[in-house]
Amino acid sequence: MRPYSLAYLNAHRCTPPEAVRVAAATGYQFAGLRLWPNGPSAPQQFLIDRPDVLRETLAALADTGVGIFDVEIIRIGDSFDPHTWDSLYDACAALKAKAILVAGDDTNEARLTENYARLCEVMAPYGLTADLEFMPWTAVKDANTALRVVQNAGMPANAGILVDALHFGRSTTTLDDIRALPRQLLHYAQICDATAGTHFSTEDMIHTARCARLLPGEGNIDVRGLFAALPADLPVSVEVVHHEREKTADPTQWAATCLAASRPFTG
């Protein structure tokens, strides 16, 4: 059976233990958490340096059998130090998380590549993969760029490339590009839908990604083709955030709706 994970953005209204319990109640095998914000003062879930929240989350994991799959987020900029996130690695180890989502912001690709290799080295003792997500408004704009960075970094054993259906549909990435990704670099993929195309402004792309994704089948991204091109057993992170629609559905209802809409597209 293909595993499903409840992505942070799909449960952004929940605390970490709440997200675990929502995932369990709605049929997910895993949950994802954002324990580090994607920018200064940006939304996140608070657990680092909060032992009470960690204890409650660990209790929820033990009670439900749900696991933590991915934790967000590390951004590689021009002044990158992998030890900035030491407390995040420790939290991931305590939660037995599998992956950390990585964004590449440094437009100097040689330096970005070197720093990605350093990150993989620092994360390796924690048993974590460093899953580089291509996003068309970042320095890692498409799947080919992500693959080039990982290959030029020396293909570390814990390297990874994260495929998000939204960024596939809004970048120049093709299904052939997806099929060309080495299997050992694929640890999970994110599902949602939207209007496809490469004509959107950065502001529009970020707004959709963070606030207004569609359920699979509601847009015109080739979601079915994408997941047919990915390994059949690849875990799927359901990442359908839509702030307006969530006003009329509690987190459990929304998580269930999103999983039901995703299953037909993932085999």
Side-chain angles (χ1 to χ4, degrees), residues 59-256:
L61 293 170
D63 289 346
T64 63
V66 166
I68 298 301
F69 202 99
D70 64 308
V71 173
E72 302 180 12
I73 182 178
I74 291 176
R75 307 196 76 103
I76 302 179
D78 56 4
S79 56
F80 179 77
D81 178 356
H83 291 291
T84 299
W85 290 272
D86 283 350
S87 60
L88 180 63
Y89 312 144
D90 288 338
C92 288
L95 295 166
K96 296 182 171 60
K98 297 178 179 295
I100 293 182
L101 190 155
V102 180
D105 293 330
D106 191 352
T107 55
N108 181 327
E109 189 170 306
R111 183 172 58 202
L112 171 64
T113 301
E114 180 181 350
N115 283 328
Y116 177 75
R118 290 173 62 211
L119 175 63
C120 288
E121 182 179 6
V122 169
M123 286 174 55
Y126 296 88
L128 293 161
T129 60
D131 291 78
L132 182 62
E133 182 175 14
F134 62 89
M135 296 177 255
W137 65 86
T138 66
V140 184
K141 299 181 180 301
D142 52 38
N144 287 336
T145 304
L147 181 57
R148 184 171 64 245
V149 169
V150 172
Q151 288 176 330
N152 289 341
M155 291 283 283
N158 61 333
I161 293 175
L162 174 56
V163 178
D164 182 329
L166 177 62
H167 307 322
F168 162 74
R170 291 193 167 183
S171 70
T172 58
T173 302
T174 67
L175 289 175
D176 284 341
D177 296 335
I178 297 297
R179 294 186 191 100
L181 295 174
R183 177 63 181 89
Q184 71 265 31
L185 296 179
L186 297 172
H187 304 116
Y188 68 114
Q190 295 172 328
I191 191 169
C192 70
D193 209 341
T195 302
T198 57
H199 59 286
F200 296 97
S201 68
T202 295
E203 291 73 19
D204 285 342
M205 288 190 289
I206 291 175
H207 175 77
T208 300
R210 297 178 181 174
C211 306
R213 296 174 182 235
L214 301 179
L215 295 169
E218 291 184 339
N220 63 347
I221 294 173
D222 187 5
V223 179
R224 194 179 304 279
L226 173 62
F227 280 86
L230 289 165
D233 60 345
L234 193 69
V236 175
S237 174
V238 179
E239 189 178 50
V240 190
V241 58
H242 197 294
H243 288 180
E244 284 301 311
R245 293 166 75 170
E246 289 171 38
K247 290 178 180 178
T248 58
D250 67 31
T252 300
Q253 292 169 324
W254 187 243

